[in-house]
């Protein structure tokens, strides 16, 4: 039981740091990390990409090397 609680806190911190890096709502993503852990990683990545696209504009073209 202690391991599950420790793992939950670690994922909460991870989601908190990632939310700060991409200027997403911090406390919402911390709560999601605490409750669901790694199951919400694809959702976080999607929100990060959408946030970057919103800030750059959807019609912006970029070349990747």
């Amino acid at each position: 039981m202690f391991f599950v609680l420790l793992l939950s806190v670690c994922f909460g911190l991870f989601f908190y740091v990632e939310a700060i890096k991409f200027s997403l709502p911090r406390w919402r993503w911390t709560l999601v990390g605490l409750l669901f852990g790694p199951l919400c990683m694809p959702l976080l990545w999607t929100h990060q990409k959408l946030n970057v696209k919103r800030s750059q504009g959807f019609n912006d073209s970029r070349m990747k090397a």
Side-chain angles (χ1 to χ4, degrees):
M1 187 66 176
F2 178 72
F3 180 70
V4 172
L5 184 63
L6 183 66
L7 193 62
S8 175
V9 170
C10 288
F11 275 108
L13 288 173
F14 173 75
F15 275 72
Y16 179 80
V17 170
E18 290 296 313
I20 288 176
K21 285 192 330 189
F22 286 93
S23 67
L24 295 170
R26 296 180 305 233
W27 299 112
R28 182 187 315 166
W29 283 104
T30 304
L31 185 62
V32 166
L34 286 171
L35 294 177
F36 300 110
L39 296 175
C40 290
M41 288 296 286
L43 185 63
L44 177 70
W45 294 333
T46 303
H47 279 265
Q48 287 175 350
K49 288 180 183 181
L50 281 173
N51 198 28
V52 169
K53 279 299 218 182
R54 261 189 226 117
S55 67
Q56 291 175 348
F58 286 97
N59 294 327
D60 187 29
S61 62
R62 299 179 77 193
M63 292 181 61
K64 291 184 180 181

